[in-house]
Amino acid sequence: MSVYSANDANMFLVIYPHIAARLLKGIEGRGWKLKQWITWVYPSNIGMSKRKCTTASRAVLWFTLGDPETYMKADQQPFKNPNDKRIKKLIAEGSKGVNFYDWWHINLRKNVSKGFKGYFNQLPVELVRRMILLTTKEGEWVGDLTAGAGTTWEVAKELGRSCWLNDLNPDCIEIWEGI
Ligand SMILES: C[S@@+](CC[C@H](N)C(=O)[O-])C[C@H]1O[C@@H](n2cnc3c(N)ncnc32)[C@H](O)[C@@H]1O
């Protein structure tokens, strides 16, 4: 998923960690700067092996081009100790929480999840919402080069962002038309 303006842009790649490790240098070589390597973790009971640990994470590589704005307060994790005197004061002053850690615990999108379209590896809405909120304001553009079932558009619409989608699978168009 990518988010951009004329010269400044954010791009997120959500991929398996071992693939991220292989691709990183090549992407940086094309001018994108790695802003942060975030790890998305989720509980999983698939892909178990007797010979190694179960993969239950993806790399969320956050790249930038130029110097785009970030909006870290647009989506935050709640305070862990809201009854602490100092935290109570912050909440009274309008603070809603603190910045997320660089690991995000978000459940996979299951076939019983709202909006599940039966497409493989549909991203969780919460994950896409977080990427969009941290990097754009209402009215700005987001795009998705490998859009699949169109989760990016689903969330962009909800958040009042404009959106373009791309995918090499022509069947996706029918799914997008239903969003
Ligand atoms: C895991 S799915 C994306 C799911 C999507 N994020 C969602 O939430 O529904 C990956 C998509 O990438 C598309 N894809 C793979 N290689 C591509 C390429 N070179 N150009 C465009 N789309 C591609 C596939 O057709 C597939 O729909």
Side-chain angles (χ1 to χ4, degrees):
M1 195 201 80
S2 55
V3 171
Y4 65 96
S5 65
N7 301 306
D8 301 316
N10 292 280
M11 173 171 70
F12 292 97
L13 275 189
V14 182
I15 43 179
Y16 285 110
H18 64 284
I19 299 176
R22 284 184 212 139
L23 291 181
L24 185 54
K25 260 203 169 143
I27 297 169
E28 287 184 315
R30 285 171 171 76
W32 290 92
K33 189 167 167 259
L34 181 69
K35 181 183 175 93
Q36 193 158 35
W37 180 313
I38 295 161
T39 301
W40 164 32
V41 296
Y42 47 82
S44 175
N45 55 11
I46 50 168
M48 288 184 186
S49 159
K50 287 190 177 140
R51 297 163 65 95
K52 59 178 185 173
C53 302
T54 304
T55 300
S57 73
R58 307 276 175 93
V60 178
L61 300 187
W62 181 359
F63 293 99
T64 55
L65 204 60
D67 188 19
E69 284 285 335
T70 50
Y71 308 96
M72 298 311 294
K73 290 197 171 152
D75 196 15
Q76 294 188 301
Q77 56 179 325
F79 292 111
K80 303 244 182 293
N81 42 357
N83 294 322
D84 181 283
K85 225 164 98 185
R86 285 160 305 174
I87 302 299
K88 274 186 171 166
K89 186 166 177 277
L90 289 174
I91 294 172
E93 287 164 4
S95 189
K96 294 195 175 79
V98 290
N99 288 0
F100 286 108
Y101 300 134
D102 63 357
W103 54 269
W104 298 351
H105 185 155
I106 299 174
N107 286 343
L108 290 171
R109 196 162 187 181
K110 307 232 167 64
N111 51 8
V112 290
S113 307
K114 188 171 166 268
F116 184 74
K117 298 177 184 72
Y119 203 82
F120 69 99
N121 283 341
Q122 266 183 254
L123 290 179
V125 165
E126 191 182 345
L127 178 77
V128 176
R129 188 185 287 125
R130 191 169 302 171
M131 294 187 285
I132 292 179
L133 284 172
L134 296 182
T135 51
T136 61
K137 288 185 297 193
E138 222 176 313
E140 289 186 332
W141 278 89
V142 300
D144 194 335
L145 284 167
T146 54
T151 310
T152 300
W153 190 13
E154 191 185 333
V155 178
K157 266 175 86 172
E158 170 204 317
L159 297 176
R161 272 65 168 172
S162 301
C163 184
W164 56 262
L165 303 178
N166 174 76
D167 201 289
L168 55 69
N169 178 2
D171 295 343
C172 292
I173 293 174
E174 203 181 319
I175 306 176
W176 301 342
E177 281 170 351
I179 294 176

